[in-house]
Amino acid sequence: MGSSVASPVLLQPLDNQLKQHASPYLVLHGDDPVHWQDWGADVVDRARAENKLIFISSGYFSCHWCHVMQRESFADQGIAALLNQLAIPVKIDRELQPALDQWLIDFVEQTTGTAGWPLNVFLTPDGYPVAGFTYRPKKNFSEILGSLQSLWKQDEPYVRTTALNNFSAMKAEQKRHSWR
């Protein structure tokens, strides 16, 4: 699967977009060294242009493990550097993005058997789900980032094919359970 990669010189460096967000939950992540973005078409456009994965982390204000993961991982300079290098990071408030959150929940439940928050999912630049999980301690999260980074660099076609297959399986499962 070929992809068009724009020159990085043409793109402005990312920074954390959440400091002034209307969501109290997202504002809590405004000082993280992670370059959090708001979800939108521009995220997918940028991921395609840079040929990067998209990392979506969904949570909510009163979620205990969301706050733990923020303190342990998202506030950590080393983790942030890895995440910023590997992906376009997106933080969503599940209460403001319920449809996206539900789609991510469905993927994680179907691939791991369980889901909850914080919900963390990597997507290809085309928006197909690669891998997802809930809370992971800092060391484990760092290992996941390293493994995904190596896999993306060494076998991008495999990652893209697997993600497309994941998406197709999700659609088939949804259709199977549809009452329509």
Side-chain angles (χ1 to χ4, degrees):
M1 216 179 237
S3 63
S4 166
V5 180
S7 169
V9 176
L10 301 175
L11 298 171
Q12 293 294 325
L14 291 177
D15 59 2
N16 189 323
Q17 299 294 309
L18 302 182
K19 280 185 193 235
Q20 303 299 320
H21 202 281
S23 163
Y25 172 66
L26 296 180
V27 168
L28 288 174
H29 290 273
D31 289 324
D32 293 351
V34 174
H35 297 159
W36 293 120
Q37 302 299 294
D38 232 350
W39 177 249
D42 55 323
V43 167
V44 176
D45 292 344
R46 180 141 190 155
R48 286 178 178 155
E50 294 186 22
N51 196 37
K52 283 184 161 184
L53 295 172
I54 298 167
F55 174 72
I56 301 179
S57 182
S58 177
Y60 58 101
F61 192 80
S62 62
C63 168
H64 170 76
W65 290 107
C66 296
H67 295 291
V68 172
M69 193 160 185
Q70 189 270 334
R71 283 191 312 272
E72 289 180 357
S73 295
F74 301 141
D76 181 83
Q77 292 288 340
I79 295 286
L82 280 171
L83 187 54
N84 293 335
Q85 181 182 15
L86 172 65
I88 306 298
V90 175
K91 191 70 166 149
I92 67 165
D93 182 329
R94 76 178 185 105
E95 295 171 359
L96 298 179
Q97 297 276 355
L100 177 57
D101 180 74
Q102 187 59 58
W103 186 76
L104 299 172
I105 285 282
D106 290 347
F107 169 70
V108 174
E109 283 180 341
Q110 287 179 24
T111 56
T112 69
T114 186
W117 298 274
L119 185 66
N120 302 290
V121 179
F122 285 92
L123 309 174
T124 64
D126 296 318
Y128 298 119
V130 175
F133 48 90
T134 56
Y135 167 80
R136 292 294 183 270
K138 178 181 167 180
K139 184 178 187 299
N140 184 245
F141 186 54
S142 178
E143 290 167 355
I144 291 168
L145 293 175
S147 295
L148 270 174
Q149 186 172 41
S150 294
L151 188 58
W152 184 248
K153 283 181 180 178
Q154 294 170 7
D155 203 354
E156 179 186 327
Y158 169 78
V159 176
R160 287 180 180 272
T161 300
T162 300
L164 184 56
N165 291 342
N166 288 340
F167 178 73
S168 297
M170 278 180 64
K171 286 187 71 141
E173 185 70 16
Q174 288 170 346
K175 190 174 186 178
R176 195 170 70 99
H177 289 289
S178 173
W179 290 97
R180 298 178 196 176

